[in-house]
């Protein structure tokens, strides 16, 4: 589940220059608008070196965000199985990551996301390109509903992370995971698959 | 709804000294443990001056947090009315505040809350003493369930504020308030009054 294993290739200064250029490019141009070629130019290196150090543009984004998880691995894992239990499963999986050593990096990401307009924009690009898009690819949702459903899920899970791991409001902060799965799972299930009258004009 | 009106009394340096001492005291000793007398001593002023500038300890806490709202006014207003509609009403009210000029101060509070362990502790004291306690005083909940129910509500509303006003994930960020009332109201209703099997050992 944790992304980095083994030795990181390359000169640390060059890596940092690439990661800095990548953060700026992703925040300013968005994930789709930012190119490896442009990032390499800003960092003063050859595009092939960026690929050599980081692999794909997705992997570069994960490295730039210090993401403790790789959504391309985690999301299909969390969403596999009985669709009627997707809510419970997602909460259980989410808590499993946050309660693990990766949770510390999660808190750091959340702190950074909230710290300024610029970092919020970068985090939004991350959520949209790495999380929401992958969820939509795995879960069969009507295209016109998918984005709203997934952003409602994001709102409850982000708030759960805030309340449990950052603000630490009791008894939520110390509750056993299964208690929160029982409480919040049905919320997520409804956001993903439930009827949401009043949310869409034609529903 | 907005707290401050008219002229603020007193010398700005003295006010700042009191507010600084209050923040430290509330974060370190909690709301109940912090005394006006202690805060006055740290600020080097007479306790009577603290009362003169800020009124009660509750009001001093609001000033120390730069809270754009006074929960003692807002919460009874938001919760008055048909209990079956408390979820919808709470979401509508919450969005009304955040969509108003007070929302800017809300974003600043959220940013500050997340920025460090210390500010998170201060914010937690604020949520518990000024928000959760007042909700419990107004809504008839079983005492052993109240804190969990209210902290679940807090998790969804905090996440809504994060997603809509800080990270600005679409379409949630631009959705008309009534769409979000329809989507999220039932979540809040269930957290406040719904059966939550699996959440309490004896339920």
């Amino acid at each position: 589940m944790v992304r980095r294993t083994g030795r990181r290739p390359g000169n640390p200064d060059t890596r940092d220059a690439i990661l800095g250029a990548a953060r700026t490019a992703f925040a300013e141009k968005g994930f789709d608008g930012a190119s490896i070629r442009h990032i390499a130019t800003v960092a003063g290196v050859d595009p092939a070196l960026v690929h050599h150090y980081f692999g794909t543009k997705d992997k570069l984004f994960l490295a730039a965000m210090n993401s403790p998880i790789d959504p391309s691995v985690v999301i299909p894992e969390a969403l596999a199985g009985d669709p009627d239990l997707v809510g419970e499963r997602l909460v259980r999986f989410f808590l499993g990551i946050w309660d693990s050593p990766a949770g510390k990096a999660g808190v750091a990401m959340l702190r950074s996301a909230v710290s300024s307009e610029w970092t919020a924009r970068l985090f939004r690009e991350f959520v949209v390109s790495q999380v929401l898009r992958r969820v939509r690819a795995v879960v069969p949702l009507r295209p016109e509903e998918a984005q709203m459903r997934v952003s409602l899920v994001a709102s409850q899970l982000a708030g759960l992370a805030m309340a449990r791991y950052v603000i630490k409001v009791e008894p939520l902060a110390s509750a056993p995971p299964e208690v929160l799965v029982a409480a919040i799972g049905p919320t997520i299930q409804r956001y993903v698959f439930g009827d949401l009258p009043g949310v869409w004009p034609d529903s």
Side-chain angles (χ1 to χ4, degrees), chain A:
Chain A
M1 190 184 309
V2 172
R3 187 176 47 84
R4 289 198 201 94
T5 50
R7 213 166 56 85
R8 304 185 196 177
N11 175 324
D13 290 347
T14 309
R15 279 183 61 93
D16 285 348
I18 295 169
L19 292 174
R23 281 182 206 109
T24 305
F26 289 135
E28 290 181 355
K29 296 167 184 286
F31 180 75
D32 295 330
S35 71
I36 295 268
R37 174 173 300 276
H38 168 78
I39 290 166
T41 304
V42 172
V45 302
D46 193 87
L49 195 68
V50 178
H51 285 295
H52 174 67
Y53 279 11
F54 296 101
T56 62
K57 189 161 78 164
D58 286 294
K59 301 272 184 212
L60 173 60
F61 200 1
L62 296 190
M65 296 294 293
N66 290 311
S67 173
I69 54 148
D70 182 342
S72 74
V73 174
V74 164
I75 288 173
E77 239 182 275
L79 295 174
D82 184 351
D84 290 345
L85 298 176
V86 73
E88 292 184 15
R89 215 161 46 235
L90 213 52
V91 175
R92 189 174 295 121
F93 208 89
F94 186 80
L95 292 172
I97 292 171
W98 281 84
D99 286 335
S100 81
K104 260 192 128 155
V107 171
M109 267 182 93
L110 212 53
R111 289 225 155 96
S112 162
V114 173
S115 68
S116 74
E117 283 290 336
W118 191 88
T119 53
R121 216 174 333 152
L122 186 63
F123 188 73
R124 179 171 67 242
E125 272 306 302
F126 178 79
V127 170
V128 171
S129 72
Q130 303 301 310
V131 180
L132 305 195
R133 211 175 267 180
R134 288 179 202 287
V135 172
R136 293 182 51 171
V138 176
V139 182
L141 298 172
R142 294 170 61 183
E144 67 276 24
E145 299 185 353
Q147 200 76 359
M148 177 59 99
R149 288 184 181 278
V150 175
S151 61
L152 287 168
V153 171
S155 80
Q156 174 61 88
L157 293 183
L160 172 59
M162 281 277 289
R164 183 171 166 93
Y165 302 101
V166 180
I167 310 298
K168 298 177 185 159
V169 181
E170 293 297 354
L172 205 149
S174 317
E178 284 308 308
V179 166
L180 300 176
V181 167
I184 297 173
T187 299
I188 304 297
Q189 187 72 31
R190 178 173 162 273
Y191 289 160
V192 176
F193 287 126
D195 282 338
L196 299 177
V199 174
W200 293 282
D202 56 348
S203 69

